[in-house]
């Protein structure tokens, strides 16, 4: 593959920072696109010109909800709008019962810490968290198999892991969970936007993501998909007026529940972030997630090959089928390396003992090579 199936130059023209920098940090934060800037500006204009326009603002939140739903092959009624993955997961956890025999949570320590923290916080209410180990940057299916049992209420996994980019086989874990009567929560933050993902077909019961990484959005908004039929029994204690059947009924003494996943909405929605998130997801969908997936896996493969050619050590999986575009390169003092790379206008992201090179649909093979050259030079300089 020498080029993506879309017009790469046209895409790149939408991202001004590419004129001066090589951003390969999507695992942490997307670059600002003209698409995002126009959407952000539309909110500022609306606020300035009309003073207040709740009808339009709520319509933008609904448009973002619908975009997220379309992105994962779902119905908007099954999507909750949150302000972060932490909040979405907390709201979900607050709706589950941690009493009785079935009160176990099976999670992996390789998940983004915030999700682990939410699960651990449920222990005070009776939950019992069991950890599936990470071995060599992978979380083995056999380890889930031996940890999930009839006492498990929910299993927690990622489609892609933030540190190594390891991609989990979600349908297999969903089968294991279902076989024991447990539900599956999937954090898809590190892969949504890089591949076509069918939430209903994945077997998961809940899928969460924020928008500021590969979805080309900004902080302040996240979404939680709930499998149809699962939401009706949920009564979250983390709630608010947007979780009501009619938020504008203004009945403080009546706790009714919106249909579907909407009951997990909480307070005033993140309007500004919704403008930007909706525009980012729309852009990606217009380009096409299959075409983006083909190009990002090509770039991911190039990251691994290029790292090997430069004598760099990759943390975790190197098999292109099992990894997201993110490649973690082992290095000491990763944060100092990240700062030094900025001097050569390469934006990569340090996490733990590695610097992560995470190209996206707008990157070229040359970007990847330039980023790896800079990483290799910096690691050599520090020896
Ligand atoms: C996989 C994953 N989940 C969750 C988060 C954080 O979620 P939030 O800050 O929206 O709670 C991150 C990164 O910031 C992440 O990489």
């Amino acid at each position: 593959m020498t080029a993506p199936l879309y017009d790469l130059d046209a895409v790149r023209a939408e991202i001004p920072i590419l004129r001066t920098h090589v951003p390969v940090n999507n695992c942490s934060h997307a670059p600002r696109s003209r698409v995002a800037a126009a959407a952000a500006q539309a909110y500022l204009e609306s606020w300035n010109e009309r003073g207040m326009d709740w009808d339009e603002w709520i319509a933008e939140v609904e448009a973002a909800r619908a975009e997220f739903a379309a992105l994962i092959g779902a119905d908007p009624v099954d999507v909750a709008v949150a302000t972060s993955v932490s909040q979405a997961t907390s709201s979900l956890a607050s709706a589950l019962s941690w009493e009785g025999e079935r009160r176990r949570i099976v999670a992996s320590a390789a998940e983004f810490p915030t999700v682990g923290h939410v699960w651990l916080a449920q222990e005070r209410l009776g939950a019992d968290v069991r950890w599936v180990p990470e071995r060599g940057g992978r979380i083995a299916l056999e380890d889930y198999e031996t940890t999930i049992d009839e006492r498990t209420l929910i299993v927690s996994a990622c489609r892609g892991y933030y540190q190594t980019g390891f991609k989990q086989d979600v349908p297999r874990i969903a089968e294991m969970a279902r076989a024991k009567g447990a539900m599956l929560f999937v954090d898809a933050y590190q892969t949504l936007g890089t591949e076509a993902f069918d939430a209903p077909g994945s077997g998961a019961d809940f899928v969460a993501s924020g928008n500021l990484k590969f979805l080309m959005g900004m902080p302040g908004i996240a979404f939680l998909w709930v499998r149809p039929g699962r939401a009706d029994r949920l009564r979250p204690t983390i709630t608010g007026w947007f979780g009501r059947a009619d938020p504008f009924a203004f009945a403080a003494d009546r706790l009714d529940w919106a249909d579907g996943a909407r009951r997990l909405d909480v307070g005033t929605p993140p309007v500004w972030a919704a403008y930007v998130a909706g525009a980012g997801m729309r852009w990606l969908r217009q380009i096409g997630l299959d075409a983006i997936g083909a190009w990002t896996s090509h770039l991911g493969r190039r990251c691994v090959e290029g790292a090997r050619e430069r004598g760099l050590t990759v943390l975790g999986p190197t098999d292109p089928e099992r990894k997201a575009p993110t490649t973690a390169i082992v290095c000491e003092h990763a944060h100092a390396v990240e700062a030094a790379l900025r001097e050569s206008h390469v934006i990569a992201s340090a996490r733990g003992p590695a610097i992560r090179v995470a190209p996206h649909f707008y990157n070229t093979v040359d970007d990847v090579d330039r980023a790896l050259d800079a990483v290799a030079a910096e690691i050599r300089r520090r020896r």
Side-chain angles (χ1 to χ4, degrees):
M1 189 174 200
T2 52
L5 292 169
Y6 46 85
D7 184 345
L8 189 53
D9 290 338
V11 162
R12 287 175 71 83
E14 293 292 319
I15 303 174
I17 200 173
L18 288 170
R19 287 200 294 261
T20 51
H21 288 70
V22 179
V24 283
N25 59 315
N26 265 90
C27 55
S28 181
H29 203 306
R32 201 222 65 185
S33 66
R34 290 190 202 284
V35 174
Q41 192 59 28
Y43 171 69
L44 293 178
E45 295 296 328
S46 149
W47 185 13
N48 188 40
E49 284 165 15
R50 290 190 284 283
M52 176 174 86
D53 192 344
W54 282 112
D55 287 346
E56 181 186 311
W57 297 348
I58 296 300
E60 284 291 336
V61 173
E62 292 312 316
R65 190 194 308 266
E67 276 300 331
F68 184 81
L71 185 80
I72 60 168
D75 193 313
V77 76
D78 300 317
V79 173
V81 176
T83 50
S84 66
V85 167
S86 312
Q87 185 251 294
T89 314
S90 293
S91 294
L92 169 63
S94 82
L96 303 177
S97 166
W98 307 109
E99 289 163 354
E101 267 296 290
R102 203 183 268 282
R103 57 189 176 81
R104 196 164 269 185
I105 300 167
V106 171
S108 119
E111 283 167 60
F112 194 79
T114 204
V115 172
H117 299 161
V118 170
W119 298 136
L120 281 174
Q122 311 311 311
E123 289 199 322
R124 187 162 60 84
L125 302 172
D128 169 24
V129 182
R130 297 293 160 117
W131 299 103
V132 177
E134 176 185 356
R135 302 178 205 273
R138 293 175 170 74
I139 305 92
L141 291 172
E142 305 78 69
D143 286 325
Y144 276 103
E145 188 103 66
T146 51
T147 316
I148 302 169
D149 64 11
E150 280 75 12
R151 287 163 292 183
T152 307
L153 180 67
I154 191 160
V155 178
S156 179
C158 292
R159 166 61 176 151
Y161 289 79
Y162 77 100
Q163 170 89 72
T164 63
F166 172 61
K167 260 191 196 176
Q168 190 53 276
D169 184 345
V170 171
R172 276 292 295 124
I173 298 188
E175 270 171 37
M176 290 178 201
R178 208 174 312 117
K180 302 287 181 183
M183 299 179 286
L184 174 62
F185 167 89
V186 173
D187 178 349
Y189 209 161
Q190 287 290 339
T191 50
L192 283 189
T194 71
E195 62 174 4
F197 183 74
D198 169 19
S202 73
D205 295 284
F206 309 100
V207 175
S209 179
N211 286 69
L212 61 87
K213 302 181 192 295
F214 296 92
L215 289 178
M216 301 302 286
M218 63 181 266
I221 192 164
F223 298 93
L224 176 70
W225 172 78
V226 179
R227 177 166 290 284
R230 278 262 179 245
D232 298 343
R233 277 164 287 163
L234 300 177
R235 305 272 187 278
T237 60
I238 294 178
T239 189
W241 60 310
F242 275 79
R244 303 288 73 75
D246 175 10
F248 301 99
F250 293 106
D253 57 354
R254 200 174 67 238
L255 187 66
D256 59 11
W257 298 98
D259 282 343
R262 226 169 253 278
R263 65 185 51 206
L264 289 153
D265 286 15
V266 184
T268 305
V271 173
W272 197 7
Y275 271 74
V276 176
M281 292 186 286
R282 203 168 303 122
W283 188 28
L284 294 172
R285 286 208 311 117
Q286 278 161 0
I287 294 167
L289 270 304
D290 285 326
I292 290 174
W295 187 241
T296 56
S297 15
H298 179 67
L299 296 177
R301 201 169 299 129
R302 179 64 210 148
C303 280
V304 171
E305 286 163 8
R308 280 203 192 114
E309 285 162 17
R310 290 165 179 80
L312 302 169
T313 307
V314 172
L315 187 69
T318 52
D319 172 1
E321 302 304 312
R322 302 310 308 274
K323 70 185 284 299
T326 302
T327 297
I329 294 163
V330 177
C331 69
E332 274 181 50
H333 312 298
H335 278 93
V337 170
E338 178 188 309
L341 290 176
R342 277 183 172 270
E343 299 298 313
S344 32
H345 288 193
V346 169
I347 314 173
S349 166
R351 272 292 175 279
I355 185 96
R356 298 174 302 169
V357 174
H360 199 6
F361 70 118
Y362 55 80
N363 285 116
T364 60
V365 171
D366 187 52
D367 284 344
V368 170
D369 285 338
R370 282 178 60 193
L372 291 173
D373 281 342
V375 170
E378 189 51 34
I379 292 178
R380 253 194 327 271
R381 203 179 68 74
R382 287 168 175 273
R383 272 196 193 124

